[in-house]
Amino acid sequence: MSTSLGKKIREIRDCEGLTREEFSALTGVAAATLKQYESGRRENISSEILLKITQHAQFQKYTLWLMTDQTSEAAGQIAPALSPDGQNITSNPQKGQKAG
């Protein structure tokens, strides 16, 4: 893979306009653990963590890209850059909304 899983998780989180804490609340992955993955201090991401992310309805569209670097728009599988908000959003549509 060209990009580490930790960096990909960060791209997904950024694209969705979520803080680490908001992403943590949605997925059940501890914010401290996310920080370690995203910074590269921890590289081996368990299948349990990947399932927590990819099985969440908001992030299922990134599953194929996260795992393989591939996309399939026809199957609803995209990369963060293809998200309607794109990677460089300037506002956070999630602000003010409660998770759960």
Side-chain angles (χ1 to χ4, degrees):
M1 279 192 239
S2 61
T3 305
S4 74
L5 286 174
K7 287 181 181 180
K8 285 183 167 188
I9 291 169
R10 173 67 187 261
E11 285 184 49
I12 291 169
R13 186 173 63 75
D14 286 347
C15 180
E16 292 291 321
L18 299 170
T19 66
R20 198 171 283 126
E21 290 73 22
E22 290 167 332
F23 191 88
S24 174
L26 290 172
T27 61
V29 179
T33 301
L34 288 170
K35 184 176 182 178
Q36 290 178 341
Y37 291 144
E38 291 177 0
S39 68
R41 284 185 281 161
R42 188 170 175 185
E43 292 183 11
N44 295 323
I45 300 176
S46 73
S47 58
E48 179 183 347
I49 298 293
L50 291 173
L51 284 173
K52 285 182 177 185
I53 296 168
T54 59
Q55 290 183 341
H56 189 281
Q58 187 171 346
F59 310 120
Q60 287 177 348
K61 61 190 170 196
Y62 303 116
T63 301
L64 184 61
W65 173 78
L66 181 65
M67 303 302 293
T68 68
D69 284 339
Q70 303 296 311
T71 61
S72 176
E73 290 181 59
Q77 291 293 299
I78 62 173
L82 299 175
S83 176
D85 290 328
Q87 287 181 295
N88 298 314
I89 59 174
T90 57
S91 64
N92 186 346
Q94 300 294 326
K95 292 294 182 195
Q97 295 180 3
K98 294 185 179 181

